[in-house]
Amino acid sequence: MPEVFVRGNDVARRFQTGIARVDALYPASFVVCGGDRIAIVGPSGSGKSTLLHLMADLDAPTSGELAWPALGISGTLRPTRIGVVFQAPSLVPTLSVVENVELPLRLAGAVTFARENALRALRTVGLDPVADKLPDELSGGQAQRVAVARAIVTRPRLILADEPTGQLDQRTAEETIDALLAATEPTGAALVVCTHDSSIARRMRMTWQMDHGRLHAPNVGTAHTGTASGPDASSAERR
Ligand SMILES: Nc1ncnc2c1ncn2[C@@H]1O[C@H](COP(=O)(O)OP(=O)(O)OP(=O)(O)O)[C@@H](O)[C@H]1O
Ligand SMILES: [Mg+2]
């Protein structure tokens, strides 16, 4: 039985600004298990980032329940168990590239080999030569790859990457996905990637489709409302 890393039961997120209301995620049920490779695809504004932030425990659902049974996340453990690549630029501008990558290790108190591990993560994305630069001195694509290095530096069990290849040419995009897969495959970690790029989605084993806040994914429990697609679609059975 694969370990359940994230389980969502009827999870919904509504944003309310004054009288304006957006149902970014209608009630959705899903699981992410160890070893999963999931692409979340869908048009702009369909709720992909909203779902990813909920799975990262960076946002709270308006209703429904989320649990991380096999990750045991709480407090300072979260940055080491879940690695997140944000869609928007997220590097700390006053820290060098290598200091940015070290940050999750330092926050978790793992300071001893922080520099070595950060440089190794930068090497995996081909950016060790810019270790001492400031984020402002990088191209958008380089900054995105530094964010990937920061997400994998703690060897997390779950990697959640929001458009990690959005600003990259096809070859660099493939290399970045290679780095994310290399960081997950040997350890049985799970990888969830939001992407508009069908060639990146094909590198995952399963595709979850989002449309106007509705998730079509392998559901758990009795309220089955969607299907998985892709070569691993039958894995919905094991859940
Ligand atoms: N903090 C917020 N406050 C109000 N509305 C929000 C907020 N965050 C997201 N939304 C709205 O929720 C909906 C889903 O947004 P989300 O960012 O999840 O879409 P997305 O699928 O990631 O889009 P993209 O492909 O452009 O990144 C959109 O209508 C968006 O405007
Ligand atoms: Mg998004």
Side-chain angles (χ1 to χ4, degrees):
M1 261 317 249
E3 289 181 300
V4 174
F5 285 3
V6 192
R7 175 182 288 117
N9 280 333
D10 289 330
V11 174
R13 181 66 165 102
R14 173 176 284 176
F15 293 105
Q16 184 102 38
T17 317
I19 53 162
R21 197 174 76 186
V22 178
D23 284 300
L25 181 66
Y26 288 100
S29 297
F30 53 85
V31 287
V32 178
C33 292
D36 276 350
R37 313 265 173 272
I38 298 168
I40 303 180
V41 302
S44 187
S46 58
K48 303 180 298 295
S49 296
T50 300
L51 175 60
L52 205 81
H53 293 165
L54 291 166
M55 290 201 280
D57 195 24
L58 293 169
D59 187 20
T62 320
S63 60
E65 287 169 8
L66 271 160
W68 295 263
L71 297 184
I73 57 166
S74 65
T76 55
L77 279 180
R78 190 184 61 212
T80 64
R81 305 259 163 99
I82 302 182
V84 185
V85 182
F86 294 95
Q87 182 171 9
S90 61
L91 302 179
V92 181
T94 51
L95 297 180
S96 72
V97 162
V98 71
E99 286 167 346
N100 265 281
V101 178
E102 280 176 358
L103 204 55
L105 293 168
R106 294 196 176 279
L107 287 174
V111 291
T112 316
F113 296 108
R115 183 56 51 104
E116 288 87 334
N117 287 327
L119 287 170
R120 189 181 313 124
L122 279 170
R123 259 195 303 279
T124 359
V125 294
L127 284 183
D128 44 315
V130 301
D132 295 323
K133 292 196 178 219
L134 287 170
D136 274 357
E137 301 173 89
L138 304 179
S139 71
Q142 285 176 323
Q144 228 168 352
R145 281 187 289 151
V146 173
V148 167
R150 186 181 57 185
I152 64 179
V153 73
T154 59
R155 300 174 194 221
R157 315 269 345 259
L158 172 64
I159 298 180
L160 303 169
D162 200 351
E163 301 283 356
T165 62
Q167 298 189 42
L168 306 179
D169 60 74
Q170 200 58 39
R171 184 163 155 231
T172 319
E174 294 288 345
E175 286 170 4
T176 303
I177 291 298
D178 288 344
L180 285 167
L181 287 169
T184 45
E185 260 159 4
T187 60
L191 175 62
V192 180
V193 177
C194 295
T195 185
H196 286 281
D197 183 338
S198 54
S199 68
I200 298 302
R202 279 196 295 276
R203 304 273 314 264
M204 304 298 120
R205 295 202 195 107
M206 200 187 298
T207 299
W208 291 4
Q209 188 81 40
M210 290 212 67
D211 187 22
H212 292 95
R214 298 196 190 277
L215 172 67
H216 304 283
N219 270 10
V220 293
T222 50
H224 187 96
T225 59
T227 53
S229 61
D232 200 30
S234 62
S235 65
E237 296 300 317
R238 73 186 184 217
R239 292 156 189 182

